[in-house]
Amino acid sequence: MYVDEIKSAGTLWNETLESARNVGSHLSENELIASLGNGGATVASILEKPMSKSDEALQKLTAIEESYDALLVKIREAIQTQIEADTELASQLGGN
């Protein structure tokens, strides 16, 4: 989801530049970027901020995933320990 948002932000910025180039074909690249910025369409607002937010969210989700993975390992180990203890107890009870 977040990776798609990052890709979409890049696509949006490229499409914005292309549209501006078509409309303002008489402008230099610097004039074009300045004009877009005057209208609020900057690389920061369209590309960098959304990418940064998505990246932060991805990092948080990755940390949560790692915590859950560690918890699952502990649960599996506890289950295995209990199975071993139950098997030992069952063998002791069966031997009497």
Side-chain angles (χ1 to χ4, degrees), residues 9-61:
T11 300
L12 177 60
W13 176 247
N14 289 331
E15 289 173 355
T16 300
L17 283 178
E18 188 60 34
S19 294
R21 286 183 186 120
N22 290 335
V23 172
S25 59
H26 61 282
L27 298 174
S28 71
E29 192 72 11
N30 288 336
E31 291 172 323
L32 188 86
I33 298 295
S35 295
L36 286 171
N38 289 337
T42 64
V43 71
S45 68
I46 293 177
L47 186 62
E48 293 170 353
K49 286 181 185 177
M51 285 178 60
S52 178
K53 287 181 181 181
S54 293
D55 189 48
E56 288 174 17
L58 263 171
Q59 288 177 9
K60 287 178 184 177
L61 289 173

Side-chain angles (χ1 to χ4, degrees), residues 56-70:
E56 288 174 17
L58 263 171
Q59 288 177 9
K60 287 178 184 177
L61 289 173
T62 300
I64 291 169
E65 179 183 30
E66 290 170 358
S67 295
Y68 282 135
D69 288 343

Side-chain angles (χ1 to χ4, degrees), residues 59-94:
Q59 288 177 9
K60 287 178 184 177
L61 289 173
T62 300
I64 291 169
E65 179 183 30
E66 290 170 358
S67 295
Y68 282 135
D69 288 343
L71 181 60
L72 283 172
V73 167
K74 288 180 181 180
I75 290 170
R76 286 185 184 115
E77 289 172 351
I79 290 170
Q80 187 59 39
T81 300
Q82 189 63 48
I83 289 172
E84 291 170 3
D86 288 352
T87 301
E88 177 66 24
L89 181 60
S91 70
Q92 289 176 1
L93 292 175

